[in-house]
Amino acid sequence: MADIAFLLLIFFLVATTMNTDTGIQRVLPPWVENPTDDAPPIKERNLMAVKVNQYDQIQMQGKLVDLHQVKDLAKEFILNAGNSEDLPEKKMTEIELIGQYPVSEGVISLQNDRGTSYDMYIKVQNELTRAFNEIRDNVARQYFGAPVSELDDAKREAIQKAVPNKISEAEPKNIGGN
């Protein structure tokens, strides 16, 4: 009887797969041995501050917003369609397969309170990522006639250079109520 139980145990250990958590996919910058504080300053107009407090309230550029507004406000900030003086600058950049393209200098800075729920943290991250993905899809359709998911690697890389995912995540701290 013990032999059969042992064989069943081995069978289930070999045949069973374990689920692993995937987490949020982010590309981190390369490790720097001796970091310096020589980072170039970011102009105020090129920075959008997104804060989530302990009550899961979202504040963008100092104004309370609902979750469903985050994506559209982020897209408006990055695109700066009207070349507003209050929104990010654009730098004309030569991109292979596209040519000269106005790349936004905008950076979205996300900061959470230590009491922010994990669910809200993920939802805000997703909305910001959706904003960049929608812009990339629009640019891909404009230049290549297809969404990013249908492009080959070279075209996908060109789109990523045209619309870089610039989300800076600040260390959580006690933001408090808005």
Side-chain angles (χ1 to χ4, degrees):
M1 193 64 140
D3 290 340
I4 293 172
F6 183 69
L7 287 173
L8 283 173
L9 178 64
I10 290 175
F11 171 77
F12 284 113
L13 286 173
V14 171
T16 304
T17 59
M18 300 289 183
N19 290 337
T20 57
D21 292 332
T22 55
I24 299 173
Q25 290 186 341
R26 291 283 181 246
V27 177
L28 299 175
W31 176 259
V32 178
E33 281 296 324
N34 298 317
T36 60
D37 291 337
D38 295 339
I42 297 176
K43 293 181 182 177
E44 189 174 323
R45 74 179 271 190
N46 293 338
L47 184 67
M48 173 181 257
V50 179
K51 297 180 179 181
V52 185
N53 69 15
Q54 64 188 358
Y55 306 110
D56 290 346
Q57 295 171 320
I58 304 165
Q59 186 182 60
M60 294 179 79
Q61 299 296 72
K63 298 177 185 162
L64 281 177
V65 297
D66 290 326
L67 181 64
H68 69 275
Q69 295 173 291
V70 171
K71 176 188 61 107
D72 293 331
L73 290 171
K75 282 176 64 173
E76 180 183 320
F77 174 78
I78 294 300
L79 289 173
N80 188 8
N83 288 325
S84 170
E85 294 291 323
D86 298 334
L87 296 176
E89 300 169 302
K90 296 177 185 177
K91 181 180 178 184
M92 290 304 286
T93 307
E94 181 68 31
I95 299 174
E96 190 174 336
L97 302 176
I98 292 178
Q100 288 287 322
Y101 187 82
V103 177
S104 175
E105 295 288 308
V107 175
I108 297 177
S109 174
L110 175 62
Q111 184 168 40
N112 296 290
D113 187 277
R114 294 186 194 282
T116 302
S117 72
Y118 188 71
D119 184 51
M120 182 56 77
Y121 168 77
I122 295 297
K123 286 179 181 178
V124 172
Q125 281 272 0
N126 286 343
E127 289 300 304
L128 294 174
T129 302
R130 271 183 52 202
F132 282 96
N133 288 342
E134 284 185 14
I135 295 170
R136 285 179 175 168
D137 271 345
N138 291 339
V139 173
R141 283 188 176 92
Q142 178 183 351
Y143 284 91
F144 304 118
V148 174
S149 60
E150 296 176 12
L151 300 179
D152 60 40
D153 289 341
K155 291 178 181 175
R156 190 176 294 131
E157 186 176 320
I159 296 297
Q160 288 174 346
K161 287 180 182 176
V163 186
N165 192 1
K166 294 182 181 177
I167 301 175
S168 167
E169 196 164 338
E171 177 135 359
K173 65 179 184 181
N174 294 327
I175 296 171
N178 291 325

